[in-house]
Amino acid sequence: MAEKRVSLPAKLINGGVAGLVGVTCVFPIDLAKTRLQNQQGAQVYKGLLDCLAKTVRSEGYFGCYRGAAVNLTLVTPEKAIKLAANDIFRQKLSKDGKLPLWGEMLAGCGAGTCQVVVTTPMEMLKIQLQDAGRLAAQRPAPTPAQAGAPGPSLVAAPPARPAFRTSATSITLDLLRTQGLAGLYRGAWATLFRDVPFSMIYFPLFANLNALGPRGVGASCQGDGNERAPFLQSFLSGCIAGSVAAVAVTPLDVIKTRLQTLQKGEGEDSYRGILDCIRRIISREGPSAFLKGATCRALVIAPLFGIAQGIYFLGVGEAVLESLGV
C-alpha cells in the first residue's frame, strides 16, 4: 500500500488548530495548576475545585481565563513547532519505514528542544497573569478606616484590583526595558529540562499505544506510516500518553513555574537558579511539594494531546489547504 505523508503546511495548521481548541477547553485548570504550584506558606487554595470556586467568586468567570490571550496567541506556533518537528525528526530517523525506540525518543527530544523558543516567553507572560489573583487574595482586605469610609461591606471588598489590570504587553515592555530579551527567556533552561523529557516520554508512548489494535487507510499524525488507527484509539492514546508524561515531569514543571514567577507573596522564597530552587523547596516544603498541581497537569495535558491527535486524524490542515486550492 502506498505511503501517504502529511505535508508540512498541513502539520502546522493541524498543530495550531489543536492548540487553540485545546487551550480554550482546559485553560481554567491550567490557571489553577499555576496558583497551586506557587503556594508556599499561606494556603489560599485547598485544591483544584476550591481554587476555581474562589477565582470565580473574587474575579468572575472570565478570571479563570486570565492570561489566556497570551496562550491563544502563542500556542499556535508552539504546538505547530512541537508536532511538526517531531514528525520531521521521525521521518529523518526512520529506516525502511521503521523507527527504533531510541529514534522515537531522539525525535521527541528534538521536538521538545525546538518548541522552547516559543514556550519560554509564552509561559513567562502567562504565569504572571495567572498568578496575579493569588497574590491579590493574600493581601489583607482594607479596613473601613483605610478605605476612607465606614461600613462592613467595605471590609469584604475585593483587594488589589490594580494587580488584575496587568497586561502581557506591559509586562513584556517592562522586561525588555529592564532586562532585555533575556528577561522574556527567564527560566529557559528549566523549560528545556521539562519539555525535552516530556516529549521523550509522550511521543514514543503515543506511537506505541496508537500502533495497537485495528488499522485503517490514511495518514497518521506521525506522518510515517501508510495506515492509521481508528479515531477513538488515536484520541485515547493521546490522552493516556499525555497524562503519563505530564505527571512524570511535574517536579520539573514546579521548578519552572517557581523560577518564572516574578512577584512573590509575603514570606515566599525567591530563587537564584534550578539547584537553589530544588534545595529550598526540599528544606522548606518537603519532597511532596514537587508534585503540586500533578492532577491539574494530567487534566490539562491529556485532553490537549487527545484533541491534537483528533485534529490530525480528521485532517483539518489538509482540508484547509484543499479549500484554498494549495
Side-chain angles (χ1 to χ4, degrees), residues 26-68 123 125-139 158-166 253-254 256-258 260-261 263-265 268 271 285 289 291-297 300:
V26 301
F27 193 84
I29 304 175
D30 186 66
L31 177 136
K33 185 268 305 181
T34 297
R35 294 187 177 185
L36 290 171
Q37 286 183 338
N38 268 331
Q39 289 191 139
Q40 295 184 35
Q43 299 296 302
V44 179
Y45 311 110
K46 299 176 182 178
L48 169 61
L49 296 179
D50 182 57
C51 179
L52 293 177
K54 288 180 177 177
T55 299
V56 171
R57 189 159 58 243
S58 62
E59 304 170 50
Y61 172 75
F62 289 105
C64 293
Y65 282 88
R66 196 167 305 281
E123 294 271 322
L125 297 173
K126 182 193 71 172
I127 286 172
Q128 315 317 315
L129 297 170
Q130 286 182 327
D131 205 41
R134 182 188 70 89
L135 294 173
Q138 285 184 331
R139 301 188 185 104
R161 281 292 179 187
F164 291 157
R165 298 194 186 109
T166 302
D253 187 61
V254 171
K256 182 201 73 68
T257 300
R258 294 283 183 91
Q260 288 188 317
T261 302
Q263 295 186 8
K264 304 290 185 179
E268 293 181 349
Y271 310 103
E285 303 171 62
L291 291 177
K292 284 184 176 181
T295 301
C296 295
R297 272 187 61 76
V300 168

Side-chain angles (χ1 to χ4, degrees), residues 64-113:
C64 293
Y65 282 88
R66 196 167 305 281
V70 175
N71 238 32
L72 291 172
T73 301
L74 296 179
V75 75
T76 298
E78 187 222 20
K79 295 303 180 191
I81 290 171
K82 184 188 189 82
L83 296 172
N86 180 70
D87 283 358
I88 293 170
F89 282 123
R90 289 179 68 89
Q91 290 176 11
K92 297 296 183 183
L93 294 170
S94 294
K95 290 185 178 180
D96 300 324
K98 295 182 179 180
L99 186 65
L101 180 61
W102 65 264
E104 293 180 348
M105 297 183 70
L106 190 58
C109 177
T113 302

Side-chain angles (χ1 to χ4, degrees), residues 145-194:
Q146 290 172 329
S153 61
L154 293 176
V155 176
R161 281 292 179 187
F164 291 157
R165 298 194 186 109
T166 302
S167 68
T169 302
S170 64
I171 295 172
T172 301
L173 293 176
D174 185 59
L175 287 172
L176 291 175
R177 184 174 60 253
T178 58
Q179 302 178 36
L181 190 60
L184 288 174
Y185 281 87
R186 174 177 175 148
W189 282 109
T191 305
L192 187 69
F193 291 150
R194 179 200 67 173

